[in-house]
Amino acid sequence: NRLFRLCSMRYDLKEYVRYFETIVRRKGVRYTGDITPAYQLLNQEQFTAVRALLEPRFDVRVIFLMRDPIARIFSALR
């Protein structure tokens, strides 16, 4: 089921890769991405491991966008 898969990606990097592989196999899909504030918590070793798994299969581009932390807190409160 979808919820189990999403949760398992957090602990199994191979499941994370499989998730993206299923997306790009769909007809007409050329680009995909992932976004979550949790990525800022990755240390260098974790980031390197994720990238090493993705790069052989995909053209990886990392884009880091950071909002003003105070504005983000007020947005979350609303």
Side-chain angles (χ1 to χ4, degrees):
N1 81 36
R2 187 168 185 249
L3 181 59
F4 176 77
R5 184 177 194 177
L6 291 173
C7 292
S8 67
M9 286 191 304
R10 188 171 189 163
Y11 303 102
D12 182 357
L13 291 179
K14 291 177 184 166
E15 187 62 34
Y16 187 75
V17 172
R18 282 191 290 271
Y19 170 75
F20 285 107
E21 287 175 335
T22 60
I23 291 173
V24 297
R25 280 191 214 124
R26 294 178 189 155
K27 188 174 183 175
V29 173
R30 293 184 58 200
Y31 303 101
T32 187
D34 196 13
I35 182 170
T36 177
Y39 289 133
Q40 69 183 336
L41 302 176
L42 293 179
N43 62 35
Q44 182 66 39
E45 182 179 303
Q46 293 166 320
F47 183 79
T48 301
V50 171
R51 191 169 194 145
L53 281 172
L54 293 175
E55 281 188 327
R57 296 164 179 85
F58 307 103
D59 180 17
V60 175
R61 306 294 170 143
V62 176
I63 301 169
F64 183 79
L65 301 174
M66 184 174 168
R67 287 177 59 187
D68 175 345
I70 303 302
R72 189 173 186 291
I73 290 169
F74 284 116
S75 174
L77 289 172
R78 279 184 262 145

